[in-house]
Amino acid sequence: MEKSFAVAALSALAQETRLEVFRLLVEQGPDGLPAGVIGERLKLPAPTLSFHLNQLRHAGLIGSRRESRSIIYAANFNAMTALVGYLTENCCRGQPERCLPMVNPAACVPVKRNGKHARA
Amino acid sequence: MEKSFAVAALSALAQETRLEVFRLLVEQGPDGLPAGVIGERLKLPAPTLSFHLNQLRHAGLIGSRRESRSIIYAANFNAMTALVGYLTENCCRGQPERCLPMVNPAACVPVKRNGKHARA
DNA sequence: CAGATGATTCCATCATTCTGGAAATATGGA
DNA sequence: TCCATATTTCCAGAATGATGGAATCATCTG
């Protein structure tokens, strides 16, 4: 993962409204939700929601598809995983046992992607 | 984890310089590094670095201790884990198999903390 | 095509954040 | 005490981000 991608993703999530939107979509799973429903649940004016959905989409954290009049948004789970992996990458110089007393091993070596960071 | 904590942590990381600092400290492990060394490695003017270290510290992502004239900063691995857990919490309405085709199980159900989100 | 519905773009306003020089504070050594 | 080192605080200018009303675009139905 690129540093600029990570910054974009983190910036997108670093805002209360967007974080709520994202978590709602993560909870929903791959099926996602139409913009209207999201706005209804989180009580957001349409332009505000649209702005935030755009930020999340440009950051690659969510995807969208049109379905009749609605536009359905869904979390991008690959991006989520990649971001988490980027944050925790190389933790403790590859000696995760050094932070294991404090964290779950999975968080320290989370992304098993063509074996690159795998250790467990 | 509180929503406001998560937003603070994400805001702190959503900035290129701070993300670099944090990743450097994650790599260093619990021993951490003195501010001066961080500034040297990342080529940052002291006031700029100090500003960013403060942001990270206020967000709870790093801790500091004085050691003679130096101030040593180290990543807070508990906070890191909690943040990752918050992002991925309840993914796919507790049916992680729905996003498993896309992500590593560990990323979907990462934080085993008093059994609250544990599933594997 | 006309009307209704779902969503986006435009844009001005307001608010927050980043940057680094100069000055200040803390610690240790001669 | 005086000086050097390590780091922080102060501050102001520059840049970036959020908000929501009005207008616009896209799609479906009759």
Side-chain angles (χ1 to χ4, degrees):
Chain A
M1 162 176 278
E2 290 276 331
K3 175 167 58 182
S4 61
F5 182 99
V7 171
L10 290 163
S11 301
L13 293 173
Q15 208 276 343
E16 187 165 328
T17 303
R18 285 196 296 265
L19 184 55
E20 280 177 345
V21 169
F22 182 72
R23 296 209 333 139
L24 177 57
L25 291 178
V26 166
E27 206 176 311
Q28 273 329 287
D31 293 349
L33 281 180
V37 175
I38 300 172
E40 206 170 62
R41 295 228 191 140
L42 303 181
K43 308 223 184 296
L44 295 170
T48 298
L49 174 61
S50 198
F51 169 76
H52 289 306
L53 286 171
N54 241 317
Q55 306 282 114
L56 287 167
R57 195 163 48 77
H58 272 107
L61 287 168
I62 64 177
S64 64
R65 63 181 194 275
R66 182 177 278 277
E67 210 159 271
S68 175
R69 264 173 295 194
S70 298
I71 295 185
I72 315 283
Y73 287 89
N76 177 346
F77 291 91
N78 284 316
M80 182 177 83
T81 310
L83 179 61
V84 167
Y86 186 80
L87 284 180
T88 55
E89 205 170 57
N90 302 324
C91 73
C92 303
R93 303 159 169 276
Q95 304 163 27
E97 59 279 10
R98 300 199 61 207
C99 48
L100 279 196
M102 298 176 253
V103 301
N104 179 298
C108 210
V109 189
V111 184
K112 183 160 184 162
R113 248 173 160 59
N114 48 50
K116 209 160 135 212
H117 306 305
R119 205 173 310 276
Chain B
M1 162 176 278
E2 290 277 332
K3 175 167 59 182
S4 60
F5 181 99
V7 170
L10 290 164
S11 301
L13 293 173
Q15 207 276 342
E16 187 165 329
T17 301
R18 285 196 296 266
L19 185 55
E20 280 177 346
V21 170
F22 182 72
R23 297 211 331 142
L24 176 58
L25 291 177
V26 165
E27 206 175 312
Q28 270 335 282
D31 293 348
L33 281 180
V37 174
I38 301 173
E40 206 171 63
R41 294 227 192 142
L42 304 181
K43 308 221 185 298
L44 295 170
T48 298
L49 174 61
S50 196
F51 168 76
H52 289 306
L53 287 171
N54 240 317
Q55 305 283 114
L56 287 167
R57 194 163 49 77
H58 272 107
L61 287 167
I62 65 177
S64 64
R65 63 183 194 273
R66 180 177 279 277
E67 210 160 274
S68 176
R69 264 174 294 195
S70 298
I71 295 185
I72 314 282
Y73 286 90
N76 178 345
F77 291 92
N78 284 316
M80 182 177 84
T81 310
L83 178 62
V84 167
Y86 186 79
L87 284 180
T88 55
E89 205 171 55
N90 301 324
C91 73
C92 305
R93 302 159 170 276
Q95 304 163 25
E97 59 279 11
R98 300 199 62 208
C99 48
L100 279 197
M102 297 177 255
V103 300
N104 180 299
C108 210
V109 187
V111 185
K112 182 160 185 162
R113 245 173 160 60
N114 48 48
K116 210 161 135 211
H117 306 305
R119 206 172 307 280

